[in-house]
Amino acid sequence: MIPFTSFYGMRMNPFEKELPSKDAYMTLDMEQMQGRLEHLKDHPGIGLFTAAPGQGKTFSLRHFSDRLNPNLVKLYYICLSTVTTAEFYRQLCVKLGLEVSYKKTVMFQRIQDYLYSMCTNKNVHCMVCLDEAQYLNSDILKDLKMLCNFCMDSRNCFSLLLLGQPVLMTIMMRQPNEALRQRIAVNYHFSGLTGKEAADYIKDRMALAGASPGIFDESAVTTAYGSCNASLRQLNLILTKSLTIGAQNNKQNIDSDIVLAAVNDIALL
C-alpha cells in the first residue's frame, strides 16, 4: 500500500505532532499565551494557563521554550502531577539538579536557595512549569505559595507556570487556594480553534508539505472542523486518517464522505 504522503506528493505528514515548533501555525490562543509567557520571562511571577485537551497549550509552551536563550532563561518542565507532596519535591530537586533528601524541609530549602542564587548571583531567570496541574493535590498547592515566598514575600525570584484543563480554574477558586490565586500575575483560558483558523491551518500545513491545499475540498474542511470539538489535536487525527483513507481508495481529493469515514474510524479506536 502506497503511503498517503507519496500518493499526494507530500514531503511529510503535515499533521503530525513531531513537526519542529519553528513550523508552528499560531492560533490566536497560542499567540495570547506566547505574549503572557514573554511577560513572565521579563517579570517573574505566576502564570495560569487552561485549555481543553488538545487545544495546544503544551505545544505553545514548547514553542516558547525552543526560542529561549539558555544562558539567560532556564525552563524546567514537569508533567507528572499525580504525586505525593514528598514525591513532588524529589521530582523538582531532580529537575533542578539538586540532591534529593528524605526530609521535605531540606528539599524545600535547597530549592529556594537554588532559585534565589540563580536569580541574584547568576542573573538567570528560572521558569518552573507544572503541566496537568489540575491533578496536584491540595498540600502541593499550599506549598507552592510558600515556595514563591522570598525575602519575606518582597521579591519574585522565579516564574511558576501552571498548565491544566479548565477544572484547574475551579480548583484555584476554592478558598484554601486563595493565597496562591492572589499571586497569579497572568492567566489565560484557551477559547479553542475557530472555523477560519481551521481552514487557514489546513492550507498552511498542506503548503508546508509541498502539496496542493485543494486536496481537501470545502465540504471536507467544514466537516473536519465540525467534528474536532475545536481541538487542534483532534483535527490533526481526523485529517491524517482522511488522507490515509483517501489514498487507500485512490481518491485524488478528500470530500466530506471521506472525512466522515475517518471520524467514524477514530471513534472506534
Side-chain angles (χ1 to χ4, degrees):
M1 183 173 60
I2 301 176
F4 73 76
T5 50
S6 299
F7 183 83
Y8 291 111
M10 298 178 173
R11 289 191 291 266
M12 76 293 197
N13 175 8
F15 305 114
E16 62 184 8
K17 68 178 182 180
E18 289 82 6
L19 289 177
S21 64
K22 66 179 179 61
D23 294 326
Y25 174 85
M26 298 301 294
T27 64
L28 177 60
D29 282 331
M30 292 182 188
E31 289 177 353
Q32 291 292 322
M33 183 171 172
Q34 292 298 305
R36 286 162 174 79
L37 289 171
E38 288 289 340
H39 175 82
L40 289 173
K41 184 185 72 173
D42 299 328
H43 304 88
I46 300 178
L48 176 68
F49 302 93
T50 56
Q55 289 187 342
K57 62 184 182 299
T58 304
F59 179 82
S60 185
L61 178 71
R62 177 159 66 89
H63 180 75
F64 169 76
S65 176
D66 288 347
R67 295 182 293 111
L68 293 175
N69 181 340
N71 295 317
L72 299 176
V73 183
K74 292 187 180 298
L75 190 146
Y76 302 95
Y77 175 78
I78 295 175
C79 61
L80 181 58
S81 54
T82 54
V83 293
T84 66
T85 307
E87 289 171 335
F88 166 74
Y89 278 104
R90 294 189 196 103
Q91 188 175 203
L92 185 51
C93 279
V94 171
K95 284 289 183 180
L96 298 177
L98 305 175
E99 184 180 353
V100 173
S101 171
Y102 68 93
K103 289 186 177 181
K104 186 183 86 170
T105 53
V106 173
M107 291 188 287
F108 178 93
Q109 193 60 55
R110 285 175 182 168
I111 291 167
Q112 274 214 324
D113 289 347
Y114 172 83
L115 295 171
Y116 182 79
S117 176
M118 291 293 281
C119 174
T120 59
N121 299 331
K122 297 185 178 181
N123 199 30
V124 174
H125 182 189
C126 294
M127 304 183 79
V128 177
C129 176
L130 307 180
D131 205 350
E132 303 297 346
Q134 73 273 5
Y135 298 127
L136 292 171
N137 67 47
S138 58
D139 288 335
I140 295 175
L141 291 175
K142 290 176 184 175
D143 278 18
L144 286 177
K145 68 178 179 63
M146 292 183 284
L147 198 62
C148 296
N149 187 334
F150 292 88
C151 304
M152 298 171 68
D153 206 18
S154 65
R155 183 170 185 175
N156 294 324
C157 292
F158 76 106
S159 287
L160 175 66
L161 312 178
L162 300 175
L163 276 63
Q165 296 179 21
V167 67
L168 179 59
M169 297 177 67
T170 303
I171 293 171
M172 295 303 297
M173 291 302 296
R174 294 173 183 168
Q175 195 280 329
N177 298 323
E178 182 177 356
L180 178 61
R181 185 178 69 250
Q182 288 180 1
R183 287 168 166 77
I184 295 174
V186 298
N187 68 88
Y188 185 72
H189 176 68
F190 278 46
S191 300
L193 198 67
T194 67
K196 183 181 185 306
E197 285 178 329
D200 291 343
Y201 172 75
I202 293 173
K203 291 178 182 177
D204 181 82
R205 299 295 88 181
M206 295 297 279
L208 180 67
S212 168
I215 290 174
F216 288 93
D217 69 21
E218 188 174 339
S219 68
V221 173
T222 301
T223 303
Y225 174 71
S227 305
C228 75
N229 296 315
S231 165
L232 195 57
R233 181 191 300 153
Q234 190 69 10
L235 180 63
N236 284 333
L237 288 173
I238 292 171
L239 297 173
T240 298
K241 192 67 176 180
S242 297
L243 289 168
T244 300
I245 293 174
Q248 288 172 346
N249 291 276
N250 294 311
K251 298 290 187 179
Q252 294 298 321
N253 296 97
I254 305 296
D255 57 20
S256 60
D257 289 339
I258 294 176
V259 173
L260 287 173
V263 171
N264 289 333
D265 273 11
I266 293 170
L268 293 174
L269 295 178

